[in-house]
């Protein structure tokens, strides 16, 4: 007999294993959310833990310390689905490890960005909250991440990120002029969605973005070769900073959400 799915939580609880091949109890209290399967593989090799959901839309891997990494694919719709599914687990904290295109000169390739906010240009988040609601991270979570970036001797920037549904826009001079007027530091496809859906679902969340290209000029547009070079140089460090930050939060047992919305 089919289950009686009356609420959003009922549906998310039923669907999370179907999307990820992972039982809810096998997902940790702290989450690294990414859209790179390579990061899942690196995590699995580092901790000797099994990748679950290889034949599912999303994959997970959880280490012995209870830290889970989850690959949701690409784009704002998938990001929202992942955040809705994870609401069934009620994680204590979630950090998005994504890549972005640097817009300002201060956002050079290989730099990390801790966004203080994201502009909701992607549309998906409008299904969750009114347009006036800002897309913001959880400040305390970002503090842990910033401390780890500094400990590794790395450069990072803060600023506002523009999140868009458009995948191929680098040819569009009008759109690029629009981005300049917004004075954003970078552009991506998921951050605003993750912040808003996290806010809606009462999940403490943050984002550590790696600048992977400089799309405002033709020579800075991402190619297969340039993306491979960025991955080889910076992906492991990107992942490691995320692991260390979320592990430290777990070990200190520090509360990063102090009230309900």
């Amino acid at each position: 007999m089919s289950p009686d799915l009356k609420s959003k939580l009922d549906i998310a609880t039923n669907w999370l294993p179907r999307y990820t091949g992972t039982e809810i109890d096998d997902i940790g209290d702290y989450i690294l959310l990414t859209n790179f399967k390579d990061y899942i593989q690196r995590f699995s090799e580092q901790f000797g833990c099994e990748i679950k959901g290889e034949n599912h839309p999303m994959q997970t891997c959880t280490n012995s310390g209870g830290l889970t990494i989850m690959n949701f694919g690409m784009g704002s719709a998938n990001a929202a689905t992942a955040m809705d599914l994870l609401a069934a687990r009620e994680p204590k904290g979630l950090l998005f490890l994504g890549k972005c295109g640097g817009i300002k000169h201060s956002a050079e390739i290989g730099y990390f960005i801790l966004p203080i906010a994201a502009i909701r240009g992607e549309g998906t988040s409008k299904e969750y909250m009114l347009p006036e609601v800002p897309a913001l991270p959880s400040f305390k979570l970002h503090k842990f991440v910033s401390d780890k970036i500094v400990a590794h001797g790395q450069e990072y920037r803060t600023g506002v990120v523009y999140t868009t549904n458009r995948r191929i826009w680098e040819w569009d001079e009008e759109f690029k002029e629009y981005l300049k007027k917004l004075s954003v530091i970078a552009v991506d496809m998921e951050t605003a969605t993750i912040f808003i859906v996290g806010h809606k679902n009462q999940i403490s969340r943050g984002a550590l973005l790696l600048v992977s290209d400089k799309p405002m000029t033709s020579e800075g547009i991402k190619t297969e070769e340039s993306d491979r070079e960025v991955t080889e140089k910076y992906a492991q460090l990107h992942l490691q900073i995320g692991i260390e930050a979320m592990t430290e939060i777990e070990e200190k047992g520090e509360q990063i959400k102090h009230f309900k919305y």
Side-chain angles (χ1 to χ4, degrees):
M1 189 168 73
S2 297
D4 191 12
L5 306 180
K6 292 185 177 180
S7 70
K8 177 179 176 179
L9 182 60
D10 290 338
I11 296 170
T13 301
N14 182 271
W15 285 14
L16 191 149
R18 179 163 68 88
Y19 270 78
T20 65
T22 309
E23 295 301 320
I24 293 176
D25 290 342
D26 292 333
I27 293 176
D29 284 334
Y30 293 90
I31 310 291
L32 291 172
L33 191 64
T34 188
N35 48 359
F36 306 112
K37 194 170 184 180
D38 175 58
Y39 280 36
I40 294 270
Q41 294 167 340
R42 291 172 185 265
F43 187 94
S44 173
E45 291 169 3
Q46 180 171 338
F47 293 104
C49 47
E50 176 191 1
I51 298 175
K52 297 184 177 181
E54 289 279 18
N55 297 318
H56 292 68
M58 303 176 185
Q59 300 80 44
T60 72
C61 190
T62 303
N63 68 14
S64 60
L67 175 63
T68 294
I69 188 168
M70 179 175 176
N71 171 36
F72 65 84
M74 183 182 73
S76 61
N78 281 349
T81 301
M83 295 297 287
D84 273 339
L85 294 175
L86 286 170
R89 176 58 179 82
E90 297 184 331
K92 295 178 180 178
L94 177 147
L95 179 65
F96 172 48
L97 298 177
K99 292 179 182 176
C100 63
I103 302 300
K104 290 187 176 180
H105 293 299
S106 58
E108 296 296 331
I109 291 176
Y111 280 16
F112 294 109
I113 292 177
L114 278 175
I116 58 173
I119 295 176
R120 299 166 56 187
E122 83 311 353
T124 304
S125 63
K126 294 174 184 175
E127 301 295 329
Y128 291 84
M129 304 289 288
L130 291 170
E132 295 85 357
V133 178
L136 303 173
S138 302
F139 170 80
K140 203 163 192 180
L141 194 153
H142 270 197
K143 182 180 182 301
F144 277 90
V145 180
S146 67
D147 288 346
K148 289 304 176 184
I149 298 172
V150 172
H152 279 272
Q154 296 299 305
E155 292 275 2
Y156 83 94
R157 300 288 185 264
T158 61
V160 176
V161 172
Y162 185 86
T163 300
T164 179
N165 274 340
R166 296 185 66 179
R167 187 64 189 92
I168 301 176
W169 53 264
E170 290 80 356
W171 60 272
D172 190 337
E173 296 300 326
E174 185 177 345
F175 182 66
K176 288 194 281 188
E177 286 301 315
Y178 174 66
L179 292 177
K180 289 178 183 178
K181 290 178 181 178
L182 292 174
S183 191
V184 293
I185 193 169
V187 59
D188 87 326
M189 296 183 69
E190 295 91 12
T191 297
T193 309
I194 289 168
F195 287 176
I196 285 292
V197 185
H199 178 69
K200 180 71 173 181
N201 291 333
Q202 299 184 27
I203 298 173
S204 297
R205 67 277 163 200
L208 176 60
L209 306 179
L210 171 63
V211 180
S212 61
D213 58 317
K214 301 279 288 182
M216 300 299 277
T217 62
S218 58
E219 60 270 21
I221 296 174
K222 186 184 297 185
T223 64
E224 182 178 357
E225 182 180 354
S226 68
D227 188 51
R228 182 169 58 249
E229 184 176 340
V230 168
T231 298
E232 290 173 354
K233 284 185 177 180
Y234 306 111
Q236 187 58 45
L237 178 61
H238 190 200
L239 175 61
Q240 189 61 34
I241 290 171
I243 290 170
E244 291 178 13
M246 299 306 280
T247 300
E248 184 171 312
I249 293 174
E250 168 75 23
E251 290 175 349
K252 288 188 174 181
E254 192 160 344
Q255 191 173 358
I256 53 179
K257 184 174 73 172
H258 297 283
F259 58 87
K260 290 191 174 182
Y261 300 107

